[in-house]
Amino acid sequence: MSNCLYCGININKHVTWDLFNSFRPTLLCENCKAGLSFINQEEVCSICGKPDSRSICQDCNERLAQGTQYLTRNHSVYRYNQFAKGLMELYKYRGDYILAKVLGELLEKSLRSMTKNFVICPIPLAEKRLAERGFNQVTAILDEATFNYQELLVREEGEKQSKRNRIERLNAKQVFREAEIKLSVDQPILLVDDIYTTGATLNLAAKVFCDKGFKNIESLTVFR
Ligand SMILES: [Zn+2]
Ligand SMILES: [Zn+2]
């Protein structure tokens, strides 16, 4: 081994000691790792995990007031900064599947600490997008990090989120439906996505569970 999976620079057999008592190579060089910015979990919105908030943020307050806050809680690990944007562009839009390993590694610790009794449900892609991209960027991350998950949601064709403005996204139409959910409503659900933008996507996905009577629907994203 090995080369940094993002910039390709040689990593001199750099290994780290991880939680599970085994040596493993890190997948990013020191330089690239320095581009990542951890979100301080002491200073986030207590609902959506927005960084640098000490109370409930404006978006969450609006949804609470409208009675449209379906997601119990979101956790995001890193900031969606310039480095993260570059990484995600290569991964999602240019289809560099190997970066799923990097993202899996970034999410792994958080997932391990959260999996307790959650059932993990990845945010699906609509069929057409899946065909365009060739893989679901979220299940690929979960596969690389070797987590079990259940694909409990189906996504209908909708307009691309990125083409809508903030208000339109906050009031987005439902695009998810269930794929035969046979779990007890007491089962805590952990939705997993790559990026949290306005939270509209995750909140709509949470609504499917909420409508069925589920009480605890949290989410985890790599970036926000
Ligand atoms: Zn690198
Ligand atoms: Zn919030």
Side-chain angles (χ1 to χ4, degrees):
M1 271 238 145
S2 68
N3 291 73
C4 170
L5 288 185
Y6 183 49
C7 74
I9 205 172
N10 190 265
I11 309 171
N12 297 319
K13 291 198 168 153
H14 185 80
V15 286
T16 53
W17 187 252
D18 79 8
L19 279 176
F20 315 104
N21 290 345
S22 63
F23 278 112
R24 63 180 306 176
T26 47
L27 304 173
L28 292 178
C29 69
E30 292 303 316
N31 223 357
C32 286
K33 273 194 284 188
L36 290 165
S37 170
F38 254 124
I39 294 171
N40 177 359
Q41 299 297 324
E42 313 271 288
E43 292 177 11
V44 296
C45 165
S46 57
I47 296 176
C48 71
K50 182 179 185 171
D52 312 318
S53 311
R54 285 184 177 271
S55 55
I56 295 175
C57 74
Q58 188 198 345
D59 285 359
C60 289
N61 267 320
E62 280 174 24
R63 283 192 284 248
L64 285 174
Q66 294 170 351
T68 55
Q69 178 65 40
Y70 308 109
L71 196 61
T72 314
R73 237 214 111 148
N74 172 67
H75 314 259
S76 298
V77 190
Y78 297 94
R79 285 172 199 263
Y80 194 44
N81 59 12
Q82 276 315 111
F83 176 82
K85 282 178 189 156
L87 188 74
M88 290 311 292
E89 190 173 295
L90 203 58
Y91 180 47
K92 271 167 87 161
Y93 303 109
R94 286 168 52 190
D96 197 347
Y97 183 90
I98 200 157
L99 291 173
K101 284 185 196 296
V102 173
L103 294 157
E105 194 180 57
L106 297 183
L107 205 58
E108 194 173 340
K109 244 189 210 165
S110 310
L111 269 172
R112 295 253 178 249
S113 66
M114 291 186 68
T115 29
K116 342 166 215 177
N117 46 359
F118 282 106
V119 163
I120 297 176
C121 173
I123 295 298
L125 284 179
E127 247 175 75
K128 196 174 144 214
R129 310 278 325 271
L130 185 61
E132 282 168 8
R133 193 172 292 164
F135 64 99
N136 175 327
Q137 76 277 7
V138 182
T139 56
I141 294 170
L142 292 169
D143 287 336
E144 291 300 332
T146 65
F147 281 93
N148 291 321
Y149 53 86
Q150 295 185 31
E151 297 183 82
L152 301 171
L153 296 172
V154 176
R155 188 180 197 145
E156 310 293 349
E157 209 55 59
E159 248 182 90
K160 288 183 186 177
Q161 288 287 326
S162 50
K163 287 189 181 160
R164 297 186 193 160
N165 67 32
R166 178 175 168 273
I167 300 299
E168 284 168 342
R169 285 188 296 200
L170 281 176
N171 298 301
K173 269 202 216 105
Q174 182 58 284
V175 289
F176 297 104
R177 60 181 167 79
E178 66 165 288
E180 256 198 291
I181 300 173
K182 287 178 181 161
L183 303 165
S184 146
V185 296
D186 298 321
Q187 172 63 56
I189 304 293
L190 184 66
L191 302 168
V192 176
D193 207 356
D194 48 3
I195 309 166
Y196 184 111
T197 310
T198 60
T201 303
L202 284 162
N203 199 45
L204 286 174
K207 185 174 189 296
V208 174
F209 291 92
C210 219
D211 289 348
K212 288 183 68 81
F214 284 79
K215 303 282 182 296
N216 186 5
I217 310 128
E218 302 194 17
S219 61
L220 176 66
T221 72
V222 188
F223 297 113
R224 88 157 278 165

